[in-house]
Amino acid sequence: MTGIVLAVVRPGDLAAARAQMGFSLAWHIVLACLGVGLPLLTVLAEWRGIRTGDQSYRLLARRWARAMGVLFAVGAVSGTILSFEMGLLWPGLMGTFGQVIGLPFAMEGIAFFIEAIFLGIYLYAWDRLEPRKHVLTGLPIIVAGIASAFFVVCANAWMNQPRGFTLQDGRVTAVQPWAAMFNPAAPPQTVHMILAAVMVACFLTASVYAVALLRGRRDRYHRLGFFLPLTIGAVVTPVQIVVGDWAARFVANYQPTKLAAMEGVYHTGTHVPLTIGGIAQGDRLRYGLEIPDGLSLLVGYSPDTEIRGLDQVPRDRWPPVTGVHLAFDLMVGVGFFLLLVAVWLAVGAFLRRRRGRFLLPRAFWVFGLVAGPAAVVALEAGWTVTEEGRQPWIVQGVMSVRDAVNPAPGLMVGLWLVLVVYAGMTVGVVYVLRRLAKQTPVPVAPQERDVEDYPVT
């Protein structure tokens, strides 16, 4: 393939466009994860409440449903901003490859509307439908949320592993949208992202109730609010680590330059060490902890496995090594911290079966509190690896970021405007969620009678 050059842009405007897109994605991705995982938690809690008759589950489902409605509305706004940014900031990308990659975006739109419709039904029909039928109205929300994530990540995977078109004299021909959407990078990326979304939603939700537990609220409502999402997050964590290994091996085989940046490998060879930490100086990583032959063993199960280094590509096509490498290390480190929390929870559950009591020290609640923000950090670090590791390309090996950006001057103004808008939305979301958290989860409408007089404070 040959590169496409569309226009010349000033460096300041290019940096502003990248900063605006990066900030918007970093903000929206947290809400998107909650949109995938929170419906699952809510419907599960409601189903358990109906099945067991335990009012605590129904109270949790009711409160989470309200938070879900607020977050969905705000996520729709930030998602719309992102849609405009794709066209306004990167006309080179969308103008040239829109016909190739438009399919997953269109299907994501359909999934979004299905999610919105059934979320409205789910919220409105509480106590207006028979409970078992009401639970069923929540299932399309879960499916549509996962489908939205799948389609969007398919589009991003295509940017890492472009397929489904032919480039002739700078023109895109022989377009195959389905081949583009189901590109080779789609399976590991989509599975990795959907599991990450569930983990973020579960650990964040659990961390809210960890605060209450640390403040001495040990009633059943708060304990279930902590243990239900934490248990799901704990179950998903080891699976995510296995999927992460799958994704890393894919990168090693199909995106060797990104792997070289992730691991700070400058020179191609065998017996390549695994370096933890460190910063790039010259043509090597310094101050890192090296495990001899570690990377060769991880990639190919043998110290003789050859790892392609950055010396295989021109220097002006190197990703920013220090940032990508440290972001990758941070993501992996947080992943193993969450695995530690999962193992601790499993040991506690095992001892409970043996002794009949669930004995966990106060430190465990602290770990549960930290796990929520830590999951978000891992999420952001993972996306940093994905996006920064592809630089300087916006479509790997085909179109550079510089050639895709809007050449019009004044992009810095848009960056400041977006920062102001997101600052306002952040304040608004925090204010509304804090108001919801302070309220007792009692009915707000006369027909909602299932939680009256419940002694939760």
Side-chain angles (χ1 to χ4, degrees):
M1 292 182 177
T2 59
I4 298 176
V5 179
L6 297 180
V8 177
V9 63
R10 294 185 302 181
D13 285 330
L14 175 59
R18 292 188 62 195
Q20 180 177 337
M21 198 71 199
F23 185 82
S24 299
L25 280 169
W27 202 93
H28 178 74
I29 196 171
V30 179
L31 292 186
C33 289
L34 291 170
V36 173
L38 200 51
L40 174 66
L41 282 176
T42 304
V43 172
L44 179 60
E46 186 184 9
W47 173 74
R48 287 289 297 168
I50 296 171
R51 185 178 176 84
T52 63
D54 191 331
Q55 291 287 48
S56 297
Y57 281 113
R58 297 212 64 184
L59 286 168
L60 288 169
R62 185 181 297 276
R63 172 161 284 180
W64 292 345
R66 292 177 186 172
M68 196 166 65
V70 172
L71 295 172
F72 181 86
V74 180
V77 174
S78 59
T80 303
I81 293 174
L82 274 172
S83 301
F84 281 107
E85 287 177 342
M86 287 293 291
L88 293 174
L89 295 179
W90 314 107
L93 170 67
M94 301 309 294
T96 306
F97 295 105
Q99 57 186 317
V100 181
I101 203 59
L103 178 63
F105 286 123
M107 298 188 74
E108 193 274 338
I110 295 172
F112 170 79
F113 283 116
I114 293 174
E115 187 178 5
I117 291 168
F118 278 93
L119 178 60
I121 294 172
Y122 185 77
L123 295 176
Y124 177 78
W126 206 300
D127 291 332
R128 291 181 172 88
L129 282 177
E130 191 270 328
R132 294 182 187 278
K133 292 180 180 177
H134 182 259
V135 170
L136 293 177
T137 65
L139 297 181
I141 306 174
I142 300 172
V143 175
I146 293 174
S148 289
F150 173 79
F151 292 129
V152 169
V153 178
C154 277
N156 182 268
W158 175 84
M159 294 164 72
N160 292 322
Q161 210 71 40
R163 292 290 189 278
F165 67 95
T166 300
L167 202 58
Q168 291 182 335
D169 301 326
R171 294 179 62 250
V172 174
T173 61
V175 175
Q176 302 177 57
W178 290 100
M181 188 168 78
F182 292 105
N183 60 82
Q189 265 198 245
T190 53
V191 176
H192 197 40
M193 182 64 228
I194 291 169
L195 292 179
V198 174
M199 289 175 63
V200 166
C202 289
F203 284 117
L204 263 184
T205 305
S207 68
V208 173
Y209 292 88
V211 174
L213 292 168
L214 285 168
R215 290 176 175 174
R217 297 180 179 179
R218 303 296 172 89
D219 55 79
R220 181 167 176 76
Y221 169 81
H222 287 99
R223 284 188 286 112
L224 282 178
F226 177 75
F227 280 114
L228 177 61
L230 190 73
T231 301
I232 298 174
V235 170
V236 173
T237 297
V239 180
Q240 175 70 314
I241 290 176
V242 174
V243 171
D245 180 69
W246 172 31
R249 292 181 191 282
F250 179 87
V251 170
N253 291 325
Y254 293 93
Q255 301 165 27
T257 304
K258 180 181 287 186
L259 179 78
M262 289 161 56
E263 300 292 356
V265 179
Y266 285 83
H267 304 286
T268 302
T270 59
H271 297 268
V272 177
L274 179 69
T275 306
I276 301 173
I279 58 174
Q281 285 188 351
D283 285 351
R284 59 173 297 191
L285 273 182
R286 296 177 62 87
Y287 313 118
L289 174 64
E290 289 191 356
I291 301 175
D293 301 336
L295 186 58
S296 291
L297 285 169
L298 283 175
V299 171
Y301 306 110
S302 167
D304 295 325
T305 302
E306 182 180 88
I307 306 297
R308 293 180 61 184
L310 291 168
D311 57 359
Q312 297 294 307
V313 294
R315 196 179 186 97
D316 62 351
R317 295 182 180 180
W318 287 10
V321 177
T322 298
V324 174
H325 174 63
L326 293 180
F328 182 69
D329 281 0
L330 181 61
M331 178 187 67
V332 174
V334 171
F336 279 96
F337 165 74
L338 296 176
L339 182 63
L340 171 65
V341 175
V343 171
W344 196 345
L345 179 65
V347 171
F350 174 77
L351 294 178
R352 180 192 181 191
R353 294 178 67 87
R354 295 285 299 271
R355 301 174 181 175
R357 296 181 62 189
F358 211 153
L359 296 176
L360 289 171
R362 182 180 176 84
F364 184 76
W365 312 125
V366 176
F367 272 54
L369 169 61
V370 174
V376 175
V377 169
L379 173 76
E380 301 288 3
W383 268 107
T384 299
V385 172
T386 301
E387 296 304 300
E388 289 294 312
R390 192 180 59 242
Q391 299 303 314
W393 304 103
I394 195 167
V395 181
Q396 180 66 43
V398 179
M399 175 180 278
S400 72
V401 173
R402 178 179 295 277
D403 297 329
V405 72
N406 191 336
L411 296 184
M412 186 65 73
V413 177
L415 171 62
W416 285 110
L417 179 62
V418 164
L419 290 176
V420 171
V421 170
Y422 277 105
M425 288 201 298
T426 302
V427 172
V429 170
V430 171
Y431 174 77
V432 172
L433 292 181
R434 283 179 63 84
R435 286 290 301 270
L436 285 177
K438 289 179 179 179
Q439 295 174 352
T440 55
V442 296
V444 294
Q447 74 276 8
E448 299 175 352
R449 299 185 180 283
D450 60 307
V451 292
E452 285 183 339
D453 302 324
Y454 191 81
V456 173
T457 59

